[in-house]
Amino acid sequence: MATRGSRSEKVKRIFHQFDVNHDGGLNREEMAALVVAVNPRVKFSDEQINAILDEVFRTYGDFIDGDKGLTYEGLLRTYDDGAGDVDRDFDALGLELSLDETKGVSMASEASSSSIVDDRIVESQKKQRTAAWAVSPNHGIVFDDTWKIVDDLEILVKRLKAKQAGHNGKVKGDNLDSYSEAGWSRELGPSSEISDKRVFWEESGHDYALFVKELGVLRSRADGARSREQAFDGHMAIGRVLYEHQLFKEALVSFKRACELQPVDVRPHFRAGNCLYVLARHKEAKEEFLLALEAAEAGGNQWAYLLPQIYVNLGIALEGEGMVLSACEYYREAAILCPTHFRALKLLGSALFGVGEYRAAVKALEEAIFMKPDYADAHCDLASALHALGEDERAIEVFQKAIDLKPSHVDALYNLGGLYMDLGRFQRASEMYTRVLAVWPNHWRAQLNRAVSLLGARETEDAKKALKEALKMTNRVELHDAISHLKQLQKKKVKANGGANGEGSFVTVEATKFKAVGEKTTLRQDLAIALEIRAFQRITRLSRCDVELLKKEMSDGDVPVSYSGTGVPQRSIRKPNLEEILRRLLDFLKPETFQGAVKAINERILSVFDDTGAGRVDLGMFFAVLAPICCGPPEKRKRIAFDALLWRPVNEGGGAQIRKTDATKYIKLLRAIYVPSHGVSEMQELHGETDSSTMSYTEFLVMFNDPDWGFGIMSTLLKLENGDRNRHGNHVCSVCRYPIIGSRFKEIKSHFSLCNQCYSEGKVPPAYKQEEYKFREYGTEGEAMKDKCKCFTLQSHNDL
């Protein structure tokens, strides 16, 4: 086996052999000649050669010297990373080492063990054989004995990789990428995104067990060092090498040991946090980053260079938990400390978009793109934010820019497809979804949306095929409903009305022409409001949050009293702290679902609470606003809403009564949030009221239940909560043709039926033109049958 020194000399000879123009670099033409020459039995196509060169030049970008190409150090690094076999290539080229070179090799190979060798030779050897991090001043290897451990570890990893390689000579998911740190910034410089391909090591076999055993020997050598500092150096180096090779679990063990040796050092906590994040242990990653942050802030200027990166990675870990508002705070801190940190700005913009603060998101993303114009992800998120603001034409341009930068950018393609759908450009939407599927064949949502876009383009047969393909990918109920919908459209041969969902043609009737038959039938305008609130409940999952938890938060929470600009005492907290409370209330949600809930709450509730942009929320009033839409008996919800108002400092000392002005403010705030068509003007009327009288819970209920000026809509909301999953057999809506779920509204003269949504929007089939429409509501088919029996009974009596 070649020694370390002979390896470097052989690589040097190979390099000079192909550096035809002697400029100190291998350009694409020279590299292509090298690839072909060392693989004489392989017939490469031009496409294969270009793919190999693209991968090498991208992966080893740090070793590319402009137009000159890959440097000698870069070629040496490719061999050290296992991309080729030096001895095999050297022999294939028919090269030989001269006597002088052999002597030089022998001398250099002893450098690691001899203390007499010139330091410059040792330093040169280290730089040639080790990743860039090892020789950097802040993260580098300090002790010579650590180099020996690193060399031995590289041999162990290479041996494991060789044993686990498949028939094609690669570990599962292996490629020429050098894995960047979870897509995060390397110090403050540019970072490559996380590799799309991960290396997955087979951890259950004998080979891996043997590797772990031998790794344990190296760790023991590190522990047996002459000093605590040297042991720390050894474990950090082991961790870094393992991380580079994507052996994250083993790297974590080493970093944790380094934390034990030097608890106040920032680096092991930071590295451990990175490992934990990649292993999807986000909460533990956050804790490690917080420890790193604490150590960095206590260490003064020593760790100042690392602070922005800690803030960024802490934000990413919080996003992994779904805590996006909290993540925004840390991204802002990173951008303040390092204004040129384009990744922090991009992450800030994306997080702001994620919580519905679109204008702020656009500003941050535009700044990130100004610093890094080829940032495809930033272009994609900027386009999404512009679309949310209604700037659709500009959004299309920015999406297209993201795709030009990265043609396989799935998010950009998918979201551009959604934008085209919204604009009614179904053919273009279908093309985008087809491109998504070319990159990601099992993307069932893209397949479903492709079917819908084809339906909008009136290509019914192709839409049907696409739906069947989507059904093969997933068995979700919405797909079955979509197929049923398509069959109804074909059966009725309904003429499309230009809607994205293939709705049948309809006419919209003004509200005064809709009449409700019977006391149980909901008024059209009330149903429209209640449906909107119910949709908000579903997005936030607050309908699954026990209202008693609000009471618990009030009794357990220790929120200090503060004073607003008007001098009124409040229990107010910042939005990130409120997010922590919401996480406890909705602890049953997955991170991504929780993020969607926070976005909806921020857009609908917090935007009304924090209309000045101060970033603080009156917690008592917030709990009172949540209570009516949480889970629990209606009387309990109302009681806890009252208790939340009673909990506010302004009502303390009033016994079991609250100020009338406080109750009025609450009701108007409630309506401004949930019944916005009325609430805004009512909020404007509120200012300047100084009535100091109080009211009891009984009086509060009268105000709350008022159908015109209170929150009487709650009774309709309760009806939806209890029955909006009810199906009505084979009945479909006469307008949208979807199976009716929830209440069925039957027109008593023409006998057509409408679903909740179409009834609330005043849509009727054009075939039934009447001066007025009378509807009876059926919550279940059982109610419909009872009504039918009554009609038969009445008919029988009339016949007699």
Side-chain angles (χ1 to χ4, degrees), residues 427-570:
Q427 197 61 51
R428 290 289 289 146
S430 171
E431 291 169 13
M432 291 301 110
Y433 293 127
T434 301
R435 289 181 65 179
V436 172
L437 291 164
V439 180
W440 189 345
N442 292 325
H443 198 308
W444 72 266
R445 290 185 187 279
Q447 190 68 268
L448 175 59
N449 283 346
R450 178 170 168 267
V452 175
S453 60
L454 287 168
L455 193 59
R458 303 183 186 181
E459 297 180 22
T460 311
E461 285 304 313
D462 288 338
K464 192 174 180 181
K465 290 176 186 176
L467 272 176
K468 287 181 178 177
E469 287 298 317
L471 197 58
K472 291 177 186 177
M473 298 175 191
T474 182
N475 203 31
R476 297 173 71 95
V477 68
E478 52 258 54
L479 283 175
H480 292 281
D481 283 345
I483 289 172
S484 175
H485 177 218
L486 189 58
K487 287 178 179 176
Q488 284 293 330
L489 287 174
Q490 289 178 313
K491 188 188 298 182
K492 297 290 183 181
K493 298 189 183 297
V494 177
K495 183 182 177 182
N497 195 55
N501 295 319
E503 290 177 337
S505 58
F506 59 83
V507 292
T508 303
V509 177
E510 59 187 67
T512 55
K513 291 187 177 181
F514 266 38
K515 306 294 182 183
V517 176
E519 293 181 359
K520 292 183 178 180
T521 302
T522 307
L523 295 175
R524 168 181 153 185
Q525 52 269 41
D526 287 350
L527 182 61
I529 294 167
L531 280 172
E532 199 173 333
I533 299 170
R534 183 68 179 134
F536 179 71
Q537 278 183 311
R538 283 207 179 100
I539 293 170
T540 59
R541 299 337 193 250
L542 284 167
S543 56
R544 291 170 56 193
C545 171
D546 191 338
V547 73
E548 285 286 354
L549 292 175
L550 300 182
K551 185 80 172 176
K552 187 175 185 296
E553 284 290 336
M554 287 185 279
S555 57
D556 295 351
D558 184 20
V559 182
V561 175
S562 59
Y563 290 84
S564 64
T566 58
V568 178
Q570 290 182 344

Side-chain angles (χ1 to χ4, degrees), residues 92-104:
L93 295 169
L95 300 175
E96 292 182 3
L97 289 177
S98 67
L99 184 61
D100 291 340
E101 287 172 324
T102 307
K103 287 179 180 176

